[in-house]
Amino acid sequence: MKLIMFDMDGTLINSGGMIANTINYVRENLGFEALDKKFILENVNDPNINSAEFFYGTKHFTEQQGELFEKYYYEHCLTDLEIYDGIKELLEDLKNDFIFTVATNANSEFANRMLNHLEIGKYFKTIVGYNDVLKPKPHPEMVYKILDEINTTKEKSLLVGDSHKDIQAATNAGIDSILVNWGFSYHEENAIETVKELEQKIFKKFSIF
């Protein structure tokens, strides 16, 4: 049973504007100035950054921050969304040979709404979000949870993402990964540029099965 886990934001869908607006909504309600969208997206997936401290000035996310974030996110998560070119075609082409899942640091309820709104939710066997685990990516718990649910081996599994948090989660769980370069961060090396390259790498990875 061949399994591909996809990150969502920056990998399957372009939701950068909405994510930046949500963070700025929280910041403004806490009395901070808004940040540039590009600056937010360059840093939001950096595994070396404490996001709570970086964006909101606290060591850990507070209940108030969480409530503000989820309120705005829930109201706006279906706006300013688009599927990256070629993703829907890739899913359609490979759906008979692979099981697809989503491993996202977003809330899985919102992720379901977003993917269904874009009419690609049907392709995914399960969607695991930060609310479904104790520790989000780069911790491997999300990957382990999906592996257990799908009941397949690490050798037959792959994680595709646009950030080093994704790659670290895969590495920490002992599975292969592919880093894509059409998401929120620009990677100078070890990242692919097109969905066509992604399809080729998938076939190469699974050619032994």
Side-chain angles (χ1 to χ4, degrees):
M1 200 172 290
K2 295 174 288 188
L3 168 66
I4 303 177
M5 307 178 201
F6 289 94
D7 170 56
M8 184 178 73
D9 298 298
T11 301
L12 295 171
I13 65 173
N14 184 356
S15 53
M18 186 266 296
I19 289 173
N21 289 341
T22 304
I23 289 174
N24 275 331
Y25 174 81
V26 178
R27 284 181 57 83
E28 289 166 358
N29 275 272
L30 297 174
F32 298 112
E33 292 182 355
L35 297 171
D36 178 72
K37 171 186 170 182
K38 185 172 184 289
F39 178 78
I40 289 175
L41 296 180
E42 284 175 348
N43 290 282
V44 72
N45 279 327
D46 189 335
N48 301 311
I49 283 176
N50 177 334
S51 294
E53 190 169 22
F54 189 85
F55 291 115
Y56 310 131
T58 56
K59 290 291 185 184
H60 306 283
F61 291 112
T62 66
E63 185 176 346
Q64 179 192 21
Q65 292 164 11
E67 288 174 354
L68 286 167
F69 190 98
E70 294 212 350
K71 175 182 183 294
Y72 188 94
Y73 196 95
Y74 183 82
E75 292 174 357
H76 297 86
C77 69
L78 300 186
T79 61
D80 295 329
L81 292 182
E82 60 182 6
I83 306 169
Y84 286 110
D85 289 343
I87 288 293
K88 189 168 186 178
E89 292 77 9
L90 176 76
L91 297 173
E92 186 65 27
D93 287 347
L94 302 184
K95 67 180 182 181
N96 294 325
D97 299 310
F98 297 89
I99 290 177
F100 301 134
T101 66
V102 171
T104 174
N105 278 357
N107 181 299
S108 57
E109 177 190 348
F110 299 162
N112 268 290
R113 291 182 69 223
M114 294 158 72
L115 294 171
N116 286 332
H117 176 73
L118 294 171
E119 300 181 348
I120 58 172
K122 63 184 179 182
Y123 292 103
F124 302 103
K125 179 82 171 177
T126 189
I127 295 173
V128 175
Y130 79 86
N131 54 307
D132 301 310
V133 294
L134 294 175
K135 296 181 179 179
K137 298 176 293 185
H139 193 277
E141 183 183 356
M142 206 174 278
V143 176
Y144 290 144
K145 185 177 179 66
I146 292 173
L147 287 173
D148 287 344
E149 184 169 334
I150 302 302
N151 192 26
T152 190
T153 65
K154 293 180 180 181
E155 291 74 23
K156 291 185 178 180
S157 302
L158 176 71
L159 192 150
V160 179
D162 72 307
S163 81
H164 289 298
K165 282 185 179 180
D166 301 310
I167 305 310
Q168 285 185 17
T171 301
N172 291 338
I175 70 168
D176 288 340
S177 60
I178 297 174
L179 182 65
V180 305
N181 223 6
W182 54 77
F184 301 159
S185 304
Y186 175 72
H187 308 285
E188 292 186 356
E189 54 186 23
N190 302 322
I192 61 170
E193 303 292 335
T194 68
V195 175
K196 186 66 177 175
E197 284 181 86
L198 174 57
E199 187 167 12
Q200 291 168 351
K201 275 190 167 284
I202 290 171
F203 283 135
K204 184 177 180 180
K205 150 74 178 172
F206 290 104
S207 62
I208 60 174
F209 298 108

